[in-house]
Amino acid sequence: QERLKAVQIKNAKDLVRRLEDLYIDVEQSRINAMDEGGKKTLEQMELNHEKELLAIDRERQEFIQAKKDSAKAEFDAAENVKAAKDPNYKKRTFDSTGIVLSDSENAFFDNKYKATLDKQAKERQAYYDSLKKSMNDYLAAYGTYIEA
């Protein structure tokens, strides 16, 4: 029963991950098929930003899973020691529901996420600034339609 539940949860997580990867692949293919230009550049930047945030989310989930795996290994080892000392001892099953990130671990991932969002905002602004500069350079060199 407990083993079945663990397998079902793992399968659900794997499915979500595969669907996320599929979405990224489809979006990348769509962007690759676009004509070169500002829209393609901007959409590629946005997809890259999405992939960065997804990587942080996955890193957080992997960290939680590593904590659960470590706690389970310790729990199973302790249960084996108890069972070895007392033949009548009935081993308990491990419950990982109480294993979560500590406040400092959460803060680490939150800060990493925020720093990434800040970096992405700067990249977006730099892109728009370069577009503005290009337009200003063009207008300085060739003037406007009205001036012609």
mmCIF file of all heavy atoms in Angstrom, residues 31 52 73 78 118 127 140 144:
data_model
loop_
_atom_site.group_PDB
_atom_site.id
_atom_site.type_symbol
_atom_site.label_atom_id
_atom_site.label_comp_id
_atom_site.label_asym_id
_atom_site.label_seq_id
_atom_site.Cartn_x
_atom_site.Cartn_y
_atom_site.Cartn_z
ATOM 1 N N ILE A 31 9.702 28.931 -31.953
ATOM 2 C CA ILE A 31 10.571 30.101 -32.063
ATOM 3 C C ILE A 31 11.603 29.908 -33.164
ATOM 4 O O ILE A 31 11.882 30.822 -33.940
ATOM 5 C CB ILE A 31 11.240 30.406 -30.702
ATOM 6 C CG1 ILE A 31 10.182 30.874 -29.693
ATOM 7 C CG2 ILE A 31 12.345 31.445 -30.857
ATOM 8 C CD1 ILE A 31 10.654 30.939 -28.262
ATOM 9 N N GLU A 52 15.000 29.228 -16.987
ATOM 10 C CA GLU A 52 15.790 29.522 -15.783
ATOM 11 C C GLU A 52 14.952 29.352 -14.517
ATOM 12 O O GLU A 52 15.399 28.752 -13.540
ATOM 13 C CB GLU A 52 16.325 30.951 -15.826
ATOM 14 C CG GLU A 52 17.472 31.170 -16.772
ATOM 15 C CD GLU A 52 17.928 32.619 -16.796
ATOM 16 O OE1 GLU A 52 17.070 33.532 -16.887
ATOM 17 O OE2 GLU A 52 19.147 32.844 -16.732
ATOM 18 N N ALA A 73 16.608 6.867 4.658
ATOM 19 C CA ALA A 73 17.758 5.971 4.843
ATOM 20 C C ALA A 73 18.119 5.874 6.327
ATOM 21 O O ALA A 73 18.372 4.772 6.841
ATOM 22 C CB ALA A 73 18.948 6.463 4.029
ATOM 23 N N ALA A 78 17.815 2.784 11.401
ATOM 24 C CA ALA A 78 17.440 2.693 12.818
ATOM 25 C C ALA A 78 16.449 1.551 13.036
ATOM 26 O O ALA A 78 16.549 0.813 14.031
ATOM 27 C CB ALA A 78 16.834 4.012 13.291
ATOM 28 N N ASP A 118 15.261 39.590 -11.111
ATOM 29 C CA ASP A 118 15.919 40.886 -11.260
ATOM 30 C C ASP A 118 16.840 40.900 -12.487
ATOM 31 O O ASP A 118 16.849 41.854 -13.268
ATOM 32 C CB ASP A 118 16.721 41.246 -10.013
ATOM 33 C CG ASP A 118 15.846 41.563 -8.802
ATOM 34 O OD1 ASP A 118 14.632 41.791 -8.987
ATOM 35 O OD2 ASP A 118 16.388 41.565 -7.678
ATOM 36 N N TYR A 127 17.405 45.001 -23.682
ATOM 37 C CA TYR A 127 16.896 44.729 -25.027
ATOM 38 C C TYR A 127 16.106 45.926 -25.550
ATOM 39 O O TYR A 127 16.329 46.392 -26.671
ATOM 40 C CB TYR A 127 16.034 43.463 -25.022
ATOM 41 C CG TYR A 127 15.336 43.224 -26.333
ATOM 42 C CD1 TYR A 127 16.042 42.760 -27.437
ATOM 43 C CD2 TYR A 127 13.984 43.486 -26.481
ATOM 44 C CE1 TYR A 127 15.416 42.568 -28.661
ATOM 45 C CE2 TYR A 127 13.346 43.290 -27.699
ATOM 46 C CZ TYR A 127 14.066 42.824 -28.778
ATOM 47 O OH TYR A 127 13.444 42.631 -29.982
ATOM 48 N N ALA A 140 18.514 59.759 -36.510
ATOM 49 C CA ALA A 140 19.589 60.749 -36.601
ATOM 50 C C ALA A 140 20.256 60.688 -37.971
ATOM 51 O O ALA A 140 20.622 61.717 -38.555
ATOM 52 C CB ALA A 140 20.618 60.511 -35.505
ATOM 53 N N THR A 144 13.124 61.671 -40.391
ATOM 54 C CA THR A 144 11.797 61.048 -40.392
ATOM 55 C C THR A 144 11.195 61.143 -41.769
ATOM 56 O O THR A 144 11.683 61.855 -42.656
ATOM 57 C CB THR A 144 10.870 61.740 -39.385
ATOM 58 O OG1 THR A 144 10.651 63.067 -39.821
ATOM 59 C CG2 THR A 144 11.442 61.718 -37.980
#
